[in-house]
Amino acid sequence: MQTSNAHILLVEDDLSHCTILEALINGWGYRVSVAHNGRQALEQVRAQPFDLILSDVRMAEMDGIAALKAIKSYNPAIPILIMTAYSNVESAVEAIKAGAYDYLTKPLDFDTLQLTLARALEHTSLKSENQDLKQRLRFDQQNFIGRSEPMRKLLEMIAMIAPSEATVLISGESGTGKELIARAVHANSLRKERPLVSINCAALSESLLESELFGHEKGAFTGADKRREGRFMEADQGTLFLDEIGEVSPLMQAKLLRAIQEREIQRVGSNQTLSVDVRLIAATNRDLLADVEAGRFRQDLYYRLNVVTVDSPPLRARSEDIPLLAMHFLAKFAERNRKPVKGFTPLAMDMLLKYPWPGNVRELENSVERGVILLSGDFISEKELPLSISQCVDVQPDRQCGQAIQPLEQVEKQAILAALEQTAGNKTEAAKQLGITRKTLLAKLQKSLLDPSP
């Protein structure tokens, strides 16, 4: 969706203000339709598609909050921006709880309005694009959690390369989900009805790896009491995934190269040549090009494997996905351990966002599992997190432990909204949960929830 061609529904019962906003938004390159109350807005939404709705709260016939709820019930994907007087804190909380994308206060700052419109439309466009990509891909979507730009690019790359027969080299740090990527590529390929066979090259000695890959004849070595088919034959007409390919010895590199080039293998202890039809996907956490230059990895094998490269992004490069991943793992382990865990304290989530995650998603998953197991209350706090996380944040209070973190105001806003949600809007009880006074909470609501700045 091109945001400059977006169709915006403006809902405003003040005719003069409506005329000014309509001209202004038209001048920014958007198409604008107008409704003068919530009922008209709902009728128009049912009659035609809109990319965004900008609505006042106080209107005589069906106010903005009622319209927001009705529109979200009809089409939850439409982003809705609410306008109201600065002092109307109650409406701000209610609108955000009902699904409003953001809140703007009157009198409007037109520069802020323009930026907020663009940001909301861009967010919706990326979200829609991510959903389209996932609909095009066949795999367990729970394993690809995130709305960040690196994740969007990864899904896009998988969608492009999966239908081809190209050999794929997946590079990335340990714990970033390279095998999940391999499974997604296979599941969306023309070979999806045939097996995906995986082998960890680093887990086996040279002799065992050769036998595992190519098979062996009876009596080929001590303990070979019968013929065995190797992974290449198991993956015939399917996909063979070679994990940790950078750990393969020079001799095995030569044998792999021949198998890839000739599409032929020989079982250990046999002179018979067998034809195989496999698609190869390899993965490594090493810099293979540096290994080629250092003479540790064959250049010809490198270029055979590196037809298409997929980079698996580290978690620190997509820190905005950390809350989504953390809550996913929380639900998973809470159910597994039969514990009614509700979430994370603001400080614990802040620590998760600041930590650099050298072990990537796998380390995050382990950390959340540990927190669930040790927890005796409702929310995981910094006390249940591994010391490596809490000490990183405590020792470096003035430095970013991670590459990107959320602004403190945003973390605070999320904590306040969560507390209000759990207490059904009871500010006194919400303040108790947050460890602040009711007066402080009201002040923070005015400062944070009604602040329209990005």
Side-chain angles (χ1 to χ4, degrees):
M1 177 181 65
Q2 296 294 320
T3 57
S4 58
N5 297 324
H7 192 184
I8 295 175
L9 176 61
L10 173 61
V11 189
E12 172 64 86
D13 63 351
D14 185 322
L15 296 183
S16 60
H17 194 229
C18 183
T19 301
I20 293 171
L21 285 177
E22 183 181 7
L24 192 66
I25 296 171
N26 267 318
W28 292 335
Y30 302 116
R31 290 189 297 132
V32 183
S33 294
V34 173
H36 296 300
N37 56 58
R39 196 171 303 282
Q40 290 181 11
L42 183 57
E43 290 173 357
Q44 292 205 43
V45 167
R46 288 173 173 167
Q48 61 181 314
F50 291 96
D51 299 303
L52 182 142
I53 297 172
L54 177 63
S55 176
D56 193 16
V57 168
R58 294 188 177 277
M59 292 179 289
E61 187 177 353
M62 195 176 191
D63 65 22
I65 301 298
L68 166 67
K69 293 177 179 178
I71 291 169
K72 282 292 183 180
S73 176
Y74 176 74
N75 184 351
I78 301 177
I80 301 177
L81 299 177
I82 294 293
M83 303 177 289
T84 193
Y86 184 84
S87 59
N88 197 348
V89 177
E90 306 289 342
S91 295
V93 175
E94 188 177 0
I96 292 173
K97 288 172 64 177
Y101 175 82
D102 207 344
Y103 220 87
L104 298 168
T105 56
K106 292 182 176 181
L108 294 176
D109 180 308
F110 294 147
D111 289 336
T112 298
L113 173 61
Q114 184 177 15
L115 288 171
T116 306
L117 287 174
R119 188 174 69 246
L121 288 165
E122 181 182 9
H123 173 82
T124 305
S125 177
L126 287 174
K127 184 177 179 181
S128 175
E129 188 173 348
N130 275 350
Q131 290 173 342
D132 290 342
L133 280 171
K134 287 188 174 183
Q135 288 173 359
R136 287 162 54 193
L137 297 174
R138 290 164 44 103
F139 57 86
D140 185 356
Q141 294 180 13
Q142 287 189 340
N143 291 326
F144 286 81
I145 295 170
R147 295 192 292 263
S148 64
E149 181 68 7
M151 281 300 292
R152 186 189 69 82
K153 289 182 177 179
L154 175 60
L155 292 175
E156 190 175 54
M157 175 64 80
I158 293 172
M160 286 191 295
I161 67 174
S164 74
E165 286 291 307
T167 301
V168 179
L169 179 62
I170 305 171
S171 63
E173 298 174 10
S174 295
T176 55
K178 296 187 288 296
E179 185 169 359
L180 295 177
I181 296 172
R183 292 184 180 279
V185 172
H186 173 74
N188 292 275
S189 72
L190 299 177
R191 298 172 179 263
K192 58 181 176 287
E193 303 301 330
R194 302 298 297 172
L196 168 66
V197 178
S198 303
I199 184 168
N200 186 340
C201 299
L204 300 171
S205 65
E206 181 181 288
S207 59
L208 284 176
L209 181 60
E210 182 179 9
S211 174
E212 281 292 317
L213 286 173
F214 305 128
H216 60 255
E217 293 289 344
K218 179 179 179 180
F221 51 82
T222 302
D225 54 355
K226 61 182 179 179
R227 173 188 286 180
R228 183 184 186 280
E229 300 290 358
R231 302 297 177 92
F232 266 93
M233 290 304 295
E234 290 176 19
D236 192 36
Q237 299 183 42
T239 304
L240 179 61
F241 175 53
L242 303 174
D243 199 8
E244 303 298 350
I245 190 66
E247 307 302 323
V248 173
S249 70
L251 178 59
M252 278 304 301
Q253 289 177 32
K255 294 182 177 182
L256 269 175
L257 178 64
R258 182 182 181 281
I260 295 170
Q261 286 178 330
E262 307 298 331
R263 294 180 177 269
E264 294 178 345
I265 63 167
Q266 288 181 341
R267 297 189 188 96
V268 177
S270 172
N271 293 323
Q272 181 185 6
T273 299
L274 303 173
S275 296
V276 290
D277 174 19
V278 300
R279 181 187 190 177
L280 276 176
I281 302 176
T284 182
N285 59 6
R286 299 174 64 98
D287 184 345
L288 284 190
L289 190 56
D291 285 348
V292 168
E293 294 172 352
R296 291 187 294 267
F297 200 84
R298 292 180 65 109
Q299 184 180 54
D300 45 7
L301 178 58
Y302 171 75
Y303 286 113
R304 282 285 180 180
L305 295 172
N306 191 31
V307 177
V308 178
T309 301
V310 177
D311 293 318
S312 185
L315 186 54
R316 62 181 174 277
R318 55 186 190 101
S319 58
E320 63 190 275
D321 294 334
I322 289 174
L324 294 173
L325 287 162
M327 291 305 297
H328 167 72
F329 294 136
L330 182 78
K332 171 183 173 181
F333 293 118
E335 181 180 3
R336 180 178 296 177
N337 292 279
R338 297 176 295 280
K339 284 191 171 184
V341 188
K342 295 181 179 179
F344 299 84
T345 66
L347 179 56
M349 182 58 73
D350 187 51
M351 286 183 170
L352 296 182
L353 288 164
K354 289 179 178 178
Y355 185 63
W357 298 109
N360 292 294
V361 177
R362 187 181 298 132
E363 184 183 7
L364 174 60
E365 182 176 11
N366 292 342
S367 298
V368 175
E369 182 177 16
R370 178 187 191 274
V372 171
I373 291 171
L374 297 180
L375 184 64
S376 58
D378 294 331
F379 294 87
I380 292 178
S381 70
E382 69 281 4
K383 296 176 183 178
E384 287 79 40
L385 296 178
L387 288 176
S388 57
I389 297 176
S390 56
Q391 287 178 348
C392 174
V393 178
D394 290 341
V395 171
Q396 306 177 62
D398 298 324
R399 293 171 55 193
Q400 288 188 4
C401 260
Q403 298 298 310
I405 61 172
Q406 284 185 314
L408 183 58
E409 289 184 2
Q410 182 63 24
V411 175
E412 186 176 76
K413 178 178 177 180
Q414 292 173 353
I416 291 173
L417 286 174
L420 288 168
E421 178 75 29
Q422 290 159 18
T423 60
N426 187 319
K427 298 182 183 62
T428 302
E429 185 61 30
K432 287 181 181 178
Q433 286 197 11
L434 293 166
I436 57 178
T437 65
R438 189 176 190 278
K439 182 178 179 181
T440 300
L441 175 60
L442 292 176
K444 288 182 179 294
L445 282 170
Q446 288 186 328
K447 180 181 178 181
S448 300
L449 292 182
L450 299 181
D451 183 1
S453 59

